[in-house]
Amino acid sequence: MSVGAESAGGAAVLDGIRVLDYGRFIAAPWCSALLADMGADVIRVEKREGGEDRWVQSVTEGGEGGTFLQCNRNKRSLTLDTTTEEGREITRKLVAGADIVVANMPAAGMRSSGLDYDTLRAVKPDVILASATAYGEGGPYSERIGFDGAGQVMSGAVYRQGLPDQPIRTVVPYADFGTALTLTIGVMMALFHRDRTGRGQHVEGALLPTAMMLSNAFLIERDLLGIDKPRMGNQGASVAPCDLYRTSDDGWVLLQIAGPSMFARWCRLVGRPELLDDARFADDDSRWRHGDILNDIMARWCAGRTKAEVLQLLERAKLPAAPMHSTQDVLDDPHVAAMGYLKRVPFPGAAHDVPILDTPFRLSATPGQIRRRAPLLGEHTAEILGEIGYTDEQVAALRERNVV
């Protein structure tokens, strides 16, 4: 199934690159999805009953989940029992024709599945292994398993966010998606290195260092100044006024003020020019320390206006503000529509075409594109096995023996 137009430059950047995807949930599958967007042939290798991530947050009659539909577009599905000798032989043949193997599991699981780097490069010397784990390899936590929340809570970020008496992790799995992005960067660097030297390598990503990257400033502040600022809900961590403010029609607007010129424009807008001469608001740090005063002024100002009025006035004053969107608001947003950020992709058993996020970066000459929907379980098993030399009769026999 084809979706979208041909790229402006003809051939896609990664045409001819084959990826074996043993990933589950987000960190590895989103990495391979981005490679697929850019033209790589990505084969998702699943257990015969399907990977666990296929069925989470079900949105279709068949049971496929929303995150699965996003993270597995542009892929083909092969079911395989890798614990059998015939399954291991198929794995070796697949690896022999692959450029990249992507997986996310602890090192012990990689070894037992024959997906560790030493085993892979014995089959294909220039292969690139991209692995994602919770904590990274080589430390005391390396054998532990963990989802996105583990990276969040162990990075120090959750300690700093939420309400004064209630830390709150972020429901959006940013450690998972962030790890997918860093892993993708590493894979592209490894491909560049292979083109120069002919040698493959092991690329490693992990949830904990990704989450630490995103909250590193908190660690620096603690180490150098010996302080942890308190949890303050939606208020800013270092500037004020900054918060989500309720409007007269029960909408919400985010405002973030930083720097003297922005603060001056805000003071004039809310009719409080005398604040510019108040020593309590002399700089960002001072404004943050007295943020309750400034946020209270802004809250009262917004409470007497509709969301549309607040946004119009803030935009006119060139102040960085944004409406809080519901999920339906995002689907209906005219800018999202004009930019084509969501592509409508048909999927069997879905109520209607599914809004799938387009490639989240854009190249002017060789853009990524969604060419096909996420695969049904084992949809391409016969096709893929045929490509590595199995006849229709052999595939049928493998099915009878429950190997595929």
Side-chain angles (χ1 to χ4, degrees), residues 382-383 385-387 389-400:
E383 175 181 298
L385 292 179
E387 292 170 358
Y390 287 83
T391 65
D392 291 344
E393 292 76 15
Q394 289 173 317
V395 173
L398 289 169
R399 289 191 192 278
E400 287 181 8

Side-chain angles (χ1 to χ4, degrees), residues 331-348:
L331 293 170
D332 296 336
D333 189 281
H335 182 80
V336 171
M339 295 298 292
Y341 289 146
L342 294 172
K343 300 297 185 186
R344 289 283 176 177
V345 180
F347 190 88

Side-chain angles (χ1 to χ4, degrees), residues 322-336:
M324 186 186 78
H325 273 0
S326 69
T327 49
Q328 188 62 54
D329 290 336
V330 179
L331 293 170
D332 296 336
D333 189 281
H335 182 80
V336 171

Side-chain angles (χ1 to χ4, degrees), residues 268-288:
R268 290 192 292 270
L269 175 66
V270 298
R272 299 296 299 273
E274 74 280 4
L275 299 179
L276 292 169
D277 299 319
D278 192 320
R280 295 174 297 175
F281 312 124
D283 53 35
D284 282 330
D285 285 341
S286 299
R287 289 191 284 274
W288 177 82

